[in-house]
Amino acid sequence: QVQLLESGGGLVQPGGSLRLSCASSGMPWSLFTAKWYRQAPGKQREMVASITSSGITDYSDSVRGRFTVSRDNNKNIMYLQMNNLKPEDTAVYYCYTLWGRTYWGQGTQVTVSS
């Protein structure tokens, strides 16, 4: 059974940092692209960052230069380092992968507020 489990969310002040983790199990994680999405209240879910099996990364324009996605294929974990956080980054953050079908984690809440 494939499972994706996010952690690391919380409340942070504007300008602060957080690191999210996504731990996977039940699939050959290292072989597939993984992505971070987020969904703010009343808005559609949007892709934030992606990383291929070989480590090629991509980012949405709204986070490029502030967020860094990485992965440890030995530990089957993907990370999202978020720096210089802004109130508009407030959302539930999800990890995602595609292996025959889509898989989503349960999400972790990130709140940026003073």
Side-chain angles (χ1 to χ4, degrees):
Q1 181 180 1
V2 176
Q3 287 189 322
L4 301 176
L5 182 62
E6 302 96 336
S7 61
L11 173 64
V12 63
Q13 292 186 341
S17 299
L18 282 175
R19 189 176 80 156
L20 305 183
S21 299
C22 172
S24 70
S25 61
M27 65 171 292
W29 172 255
S30 64
L31 300 181
F32 296 92
T33 293
K35 301 183 180 184
W36 286 100
Y37 281 76
R38 68 185 181 187
Q39 188 166 21
K43 294 188 176 181
Q44 288 189 331
R45 194 170 294 190
E46 62 170 347
M47 197 277 286
V48 173
S50 66
I51 184 165
T52 69
S53 57
S54 59
I56 298 172
T57 59
D58 192 22
Y59 300 92
S60 67
D61 289 342
S62 61
V63 307
R64 186 174 288 112
R66 300 187 296 122
F67 290 11
T68 302
V69 61
S70 61
R71 66 193 298 167
D72 184 335
N73 287 335
N74 291 323
K75 296 181 179 179
N76 293 337
I77 298 178
M78 174 175 64
Y79 302 99
L80 185 67
Q81 177 67 43
M82 306 186 294
N83 297 329
N84 190 21
L85 283 161
K86 304 176 181 180
E88 52 263 42
D89 295 319
T90 295
V92 179
Y93 285 71
Y94 300 90
C95 61
Y96 159 98
T97 193
L98 175 65
W99 181 44
R101 49 151 285 192
T102 59
Y103 292 94
W104 295 90
Q106 85 291 346
T108 185
Q109 176 71 47
V110 172
T111 302
V112 184
S113 175
S114 56

